[in-house]
Amino acid sequence: MSDSAPTPHIELYVRSMLPDGAHERQEEVIGRLETLDENDRIDGFSVIVWGKHIAPRSAAARTAEGKYILNRIAEFKQWALTNNVSLDSFYQDTTVDSEAAQSAYDAMTLPVMGLAEYDGSELVHVAPCTRDETVHTIMDRIERLEAGQPSALEQDRGDVSVV
């Protein structure tokens, strides 16, 4: 990227227990992020491993790791509101039946893979996200980073003219 363009830092969130086929997709994304980093298209990346669910009222949510995940999800939600996008393709609120406790609890189902892009400390993109029924995937954002292009959301904003 040119000296005038910001070089983002990427956080890639991956689920620890994977459904069929997900491991290969995660490996492909990590490989492409490594190439972006080597080519100075991004200012590094982090891989954060999380589980399938997080229950906001659980003991696990009060741990450092649980607080980190819940804070990030809150930050993603605020970004989505500000950018008029939906994160329905990122996470979903659900009720989980616990056979061990013979009860149910509210939780968030976390994605198999999610991407957060930061310019310094500012969150500038989350994938997957949805605007106007168009899902902006992790691969969409990686392809645009490889091409040196802004996110499709930023480009859409730039195409609007005020008369």
Side-chain angles (χ1 to χ4, degrees):
M1 290 189 137
S2 71
D3 291 338
S4 62
T7 305
H9 177 80
I10 304 295
E11 291 182 357
L12 182 67
Y13 295 84
V14 296
R15 192 181 293 170
S16 56
M17 303 299 284
L18 301 173
D20 290 341
H23 178 75
E24 291 80 12
R25 288 191 304 272
Q26 286 181 355
E27 289 294 316
E28 178 185 358
V29 168
I30 291 169
R32 288 175 80 171
L33 288 173
E34 287 172 341
T35 301
L36 283 166
D37 191 25
E38 290 166 2
N39 294 331
D40 294 325
R41 294 282 198 186
I42 60 173
D43 186 27
F45 69 97
S46 305
V47 177
I48 296 99
V49 179
W50 58 15
K52 183 175 182 176
H53 299 102
I54 185 159
R57 294 187 185 100
S58 68
R62 294 188 296 272
T63 66
E65 293 81 4
K67 288 177 186 177
Y68 178 85
I69 291 169
L70 291 174
N71 285 337
R72 279 300 198 240
I73 295 292
E75 182 181 24
F76 300 164
K77 287 179 180 181
Q78 183 59 50
W79 175 86
L81 285 171
T82 301
N83 289 279
N84 195 31
V85 298
S86 165
L87 293 179
D88 288 347
S89 53
F90 189 91
Y91 81 94
Q92 295 184 340
D93 292 321
T94 188
T95 300
V96 177
D97 289 322
S98 171
E99 291 179 17
Q102 296 181 350
S103 64
Y105 58 92
D106 293 329
M108 285 184 259
T109 300
L110 301 170
V112 170
M113 196 166 31
L115 181 141
E117 178 181 342
Y118 288 87
D119 178 9
S121 62
E122 180 184 355
L123 179 62
V124 296
H125 191 77
V126 175
C129 67
T130 306
R131 178 184 281 161
D132 300 328
E133 298 185 26
T134 300
V135 177
H136 299 274
T137 67
I138 292 169
M139 294 310 287
D140 294 336
R141 184 59 194 126
I142 287 176
E143 288 168 3
R144 293 182 73 85
L145 285 166
E146 290 168 339
Q149 299 174 338
S151 74
L153 298 174
E154 289 177 63
Q155 190 163 343
D156 289 349
R157 221 181 348 220
D159 292 344
V160 175
S161 62
V162 178
V163 180

